[in-house]
Amino acid sequence: MWPYPKVLAHRGGGTLAPENTLAGLRHGMEAGYRAIEFDVMLARDGVPVVLHDPFLGRTVPGSGHVYDYDAHELAAMDAGGWFARAFEGEPVPLFVEFAQYCKAHGVWMNIEIKPAPGYEIETGGTVARIASALFADEIAAGDSARVPLLSSFSHLALEAARDVAPQLPRACLMSELAPDWERRAREVAAVAIHTNHRHLTPQGAAAVKTAGFGLFCYTVNEPARARELLGWGVEAFCTDRIDLIGPDFASGG
């Protein structure tokens, strides 16, 4: 149920570079990673950008929410200076450009849809439509290992993604397995469950696998914990510590 890479660089470069930037992505690639998890939300003009927080102030100086600005305004902001002076001026990436860069360099993508409140349907549909167009050839060829996976905590966003691009695989994100986790996953025809490893139990992992879903955990930063999770049947995970956990870790590398 998991034809994708098993170890993903969280938000691009983990702790080695500013998150959700092309500089971060390049650092992940330098560490050998060819699989990445990153976040996408809509700017005010409906153009998707690569950012985690719905507001400015942590990784991008400024105030207000992402949807207070058009995409070209966000793209002119500094998304790297907070991390280190060497990254000053690193822009907020546009989703299309970021995804095209990943595709051109053979980097597989787990795209987390992060809608602002009230924009769940619009965000899910927009991200799915763009990803579907970018990977139309791979989808037509049935090359599932290269087609990106869409994930979200938002059920509405996943429903919209399903309706717009049913051919793209989807995953349900949940901090812990809710009592109705299987019903929610089947409603959006999800192929996988993504959950916080801190709340996962061996019994929960077994239930997900028995139900026929792939099982992915975030964000695993200790090698011993990663080995334990793999032993439970977890198929993949993302990590910030790309300096400690290599891309071949799950295969013993």
Side-chain angles (χ1 to χ4, degrees), residues 20-194:
N20 286 327
T21 63
L22 283 172
L25 172 58
R26 286 190 285 268
H27 270 261
M29 293 172 61
E30 289 170 3
Y33 276 84
R34 291 298 181 273
I36 177 181
E37 180 272 352
F38 63 93
D39 309 282
V40 179
M41 60 183 65
L42 298 185
R44 178 173 57 192
D45 52 3
V47 175
V49 294
V50 180
L51 271 171
H52 177 271
D53 297 358
F55 46 83
L56 304 184
R58 184 176 68 89
T59 63
V60 179
S63 60
H65 290 80
V66 171
Y67 50 78
D68 293 331
Y69 301 88
D70 290 342
H72 76 274
E73 295 175 305
L74 293 166
M77 296 180 182
D78 179 7
W82 68 274
F83 187 89
R85 181 170 295 179
F87 294 103
E88 284 183 358
E90 183 68 25
V92 174
L94 302 180
F95 169 53
V96 170
E97 296 175 351
F98 196 85
Q100 287 173 332
Y101 189 96
C102 286
K103 182 177 180 180
H105 291 84
V107 177
W108 181 77
M109 296 177 283
N110 172 192
I111 303 167
E112 182 179 342
I113 303 168
K114 294 190 76 71
Y119 292 88
E120 293 85 359
I121 294 173
E122 183 181 359
T123 308
T126 298
V127 173
R129 183 168 57 253
I130 291 172
S132 177
L134 285 173
F135 287 84
D137 291 343
E138 289 79 3
I139 292 169
D143 190 357
S144 60
R146 296 182 64 192
V147 174
L149 176 65
L150 307 181
S151 63
S152 187
F153 285 100
S154 169
H155 197 75
L156 286 174
L158 289 174
E159 286 182 326
R162 175 202 63 198
D163 294 345
V164 167
Q167 66 275 27
L168 281 177
R170 292 164 297 283
C172 283
L173 259 167
M174 51 190 75
S175 180
E176 55 187 311
L177 295 177
D180 62 343
W181 68 265
E182 184 174 355
R183 176 189 63 78
R184 288 164 55 185
R186 296 203 184 281
E187 283 181 353
V188 296
V191 301
I193 302 295
H194 292 195

